[in-house]
């Protein structure tokens, strides 16, 4: 089976870009109201080591045991300032590939959204579950996750130096797998 994931990270990211670049502002989050231009949005980052997840059936370690792989490929969004703080409206794009060991048509993933102060002190971390359903005969599928994390700030405070981190919630084995794949 030809594998998008077997072709390496650049092919995966290119495929994800094809799915999400139309109308996507990528890294350029900005306030919706031009009058708020001086109040910038927080920096949003997909954590490199947590950008992909590989799911093997229990006890499996090779290609025949692969249930699915997924990657957070991009994001877009804006932010809204109110007297209670700032709401960051983020669309996160996920692309998944079915593996030979997947039973059924749905793969399940868990990802997180973490908010950090300018000094990188973690303020909150929320977990989200998502399902990707594969159409019969199609090895890849994707989803758009719509999130709206809120940063409580005093009126007229600027969130430009705050950070929002996105990534898959991985097991230690999955994290180790990601890190060993980068070295190859």
């Amino acid at each position: 089976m030809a594998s998008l994931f077997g072709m390496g990270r650049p092919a995966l990211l290119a495929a994800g870009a094809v799915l999400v670049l139309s109308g996507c502002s990528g890294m350029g989050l900005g306030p919706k109201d031009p009058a708020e231009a001086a109040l910038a949005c927080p920096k949003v980052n997909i954590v490199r080591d947590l950008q992909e997840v590989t799911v093997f059936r229990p006890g499996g370690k090779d290609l025949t045991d692969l249930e699915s792989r997924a990657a957070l490929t991009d994001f877009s969004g804006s932010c809204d300032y109110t007297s209670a703080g700032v709401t960051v409206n983020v669309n996160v794009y996920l692309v998944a590939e079915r593996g030979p060991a997947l039973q059924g048509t749905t793969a399940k993933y868990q990802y997180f959204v973490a908010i950090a102060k300018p000094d990188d002190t973690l303020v909150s971390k929320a977990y989200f579950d998502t399902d990707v359903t594969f159409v019969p005969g199609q090895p890849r599928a994707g989803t758009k996750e719509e999130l709206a994390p809120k940063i409580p700030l005093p009126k007229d405070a600027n969130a430009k130096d705050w950070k929002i981190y996105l990534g898959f919630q991985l097991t230690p084995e999955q994290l180790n797998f990601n890190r060993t794949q980068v070295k190859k």
Side-chain angles (χ1 to χ4, degrees), residues 105-117:
T105 59
T106 303
K108 298 180 180 295
Y109 306 102
Q110 186 175 66
Y111 64 95
F112 67 86
V113 176
I115 298 174
K117 291 181 178 180

Side-chain angles (χ1 to χ4, degrees), residues 72-96:
L72 298 173
T73 59
D74 203 355
F75 59 87
S76 65
S78 63
C79 59
D80 294 314
Y81 278 84
T82 67
S83 60
V86 63
T87 299
V88 183
N89 304 298
V90 182
N91 296 315
V92 180
Y93 301 92
L94 182 149
V95 175

Side-chain angles (χ1 to χ4, degrees), residues 44 53 62 71 73 75 77 85 102 106 109 113 116 122 139 154 170 176:
V44 178
V53 61
D62 65 30
T73 59
F75 59 87
L102 182 67
T106 303
Y109 306 102
V113 176
L122 193 64
L170 303 179
N176 184 53

